[in-house]
Amino acid sequence: TVSGGATVAAGTQVTLTAAPKADCSFYGWTLDGRLVCEDASYSFIATKDVSPMAIFGKTNEVAAKNCQTGLVYTDLAEALSAAKSGETVMLLNNCTLGVNAVIKSGVCLYVPYSNEFSYDGFKDGTTANKTSLAADAEAFRTVTVANGVTLTVNGKLLVGGVIGYPNANSYQGHTSGAHGKIVNNGSIVVADGAVFDCYGFVDGSGKVIAKDGAKVYEPFIVYDFSGGQNTLDLNNA
């Protein structure tokens, strides 16, 4: 339900409040098809006739959210199909991609690492940072690509994670805490000009295929760091 709507004089502040039912969640306010607020209470000055829309969804059935439109989807493939260039689709719950799907050019699929994520996909040196690699229990969101299914990346696939930089004589540059994860039992094909940027983990029985012109990034881990020249030479190579 939504409360606070009314006819008011121009220049009046209006506050709308959204209240989801049990087992449901509120995901944001949209105005003219764009997300304008993610808080349950939305305040604005009325200057013209407007029709803000509250986005609700069943908590355990919603798979993905378009970060620009606020719309939520129970099916990841449907969310990717609806997304337009410049938009980001973010995983809200663990889900399985059971049919072939395409991340369009200009579209980003984001597998986040926490509720307080950053849209660049990583958080550097937090209190969760430690000297060992992240444990399976620290996987925040997981998308599974089913056997025989192909996810084609023409835009960007971003898997978030906390990247650590502890003291010398231990891992550096590793995924050290909360992270997103892909269990790839099918194929992820990264097309020419597309990007697969992974701060978290990818495992499974499938393959990641990078076409000529694709860019694939993953953490560069330094173990027992005690100097810089060898690392610099490897990076330059």
Side-chain angles (χ1 to χ4, degrees):
T1 58
V2 172
S3 60
T7 300
V8 299
T12 302
Q13 178 170 298
V14 176
T15 298
L16 303 178
T17 302
K21 295 181 178 179
D23 300 322
C24 297
S25 295
F26 171 72
Y27 292 100
W29 296 94
T30 64
L31 189 60
D32 297 329
R34 309 303 289 179
L35 184 68
V36 293
C37 179
E38 294 185 280
D39 297 329
S41 291
Y42 170 43
S43 296
F44 60 95
I45 302 297
T47 59
K48 60 180 180 179
D49 290 339
V50 293
S51 299
M53 182 169 68
I55 306 296
F56 298 97
K58 290 186 176 180
T59 301
N60 295 325
E61 294 184 9
V62 173
K65 174 181 180 178
N66 187 306
C67 295
Q68 278 69 37
T69 66
L71 296 177
V72 294
Y73 298 84
T74 58
D75 181 79
L76 178 57
E78 181 183 0
L80 291 174
S81 178
K84 299 178 182 179
S85 180
E87 296 179 344
T88 296
V89 174
M90 183 177 68
L91 213 65
L92 289 175
N93 292 306
N94 298 340
C95 68
T96 297
L97 185 64
V99 298
N100 293 343
V102 176
I103 304 174
K104 302 172 188 174
S105 178
V107 171
C108 177
L109 171 59
Y110 182 26
V111 184
Y113 59 83
S114 74
N115 282 321
E116 296 182 359
F117 54 85
S118 58
Y119 277 105
D120 57 6
F122 79 100
K123 199 166 188 177
D124 210 356
T126 69
T127 55
N129 175 35
K130 59 184 184 301
T131 59
S132 59
L133 290 173
D136 289 342
E138 293 172 290
F140 177 67
R141 293 287 180 261
T142 300
V143 57
T144 300
V145 180
N147 183 38
V149 169
T150 298
L151 173 61
T152 300
V153 184
N154 291 329
K156 184 174 184 178
L157 175 56
L158 177 58
V159 182
V162 173
I163 301 297
Y165 52 92
N167 293 328
N169 303 316
S170 57
Y171 285 115
Q172 296 189 50
H174 60 294
T175 304
S176 66
H179 59 273
K181 183 177 180 179
I182 296 180
V183 178
N184 177 30
N185 295 322
S187 297
I188 298 175
V189 179
V190 189
D192 179 13
V195 175
F196 181 15
D197 202 352
C198 183
Y199 298 93
F201 291 106
V202 179
D203 64 15
S205 59
K207 295 181 178 180
V208 175
I209 302 168
K211 298 290 188 178
D212 186 25
K215 293 183 178 180
V216 177
Y217 300 100
E218 62 182 4
F220 173 57
I221 301 174
V222 180
Y223 185 67
D224 283 342
F225 183 78
S226 59
Q229 189 60 50
N230 289 339
T231 302
L232 179 62
D233 291 345
L234 179 58
N235 176 73
N236 291 341

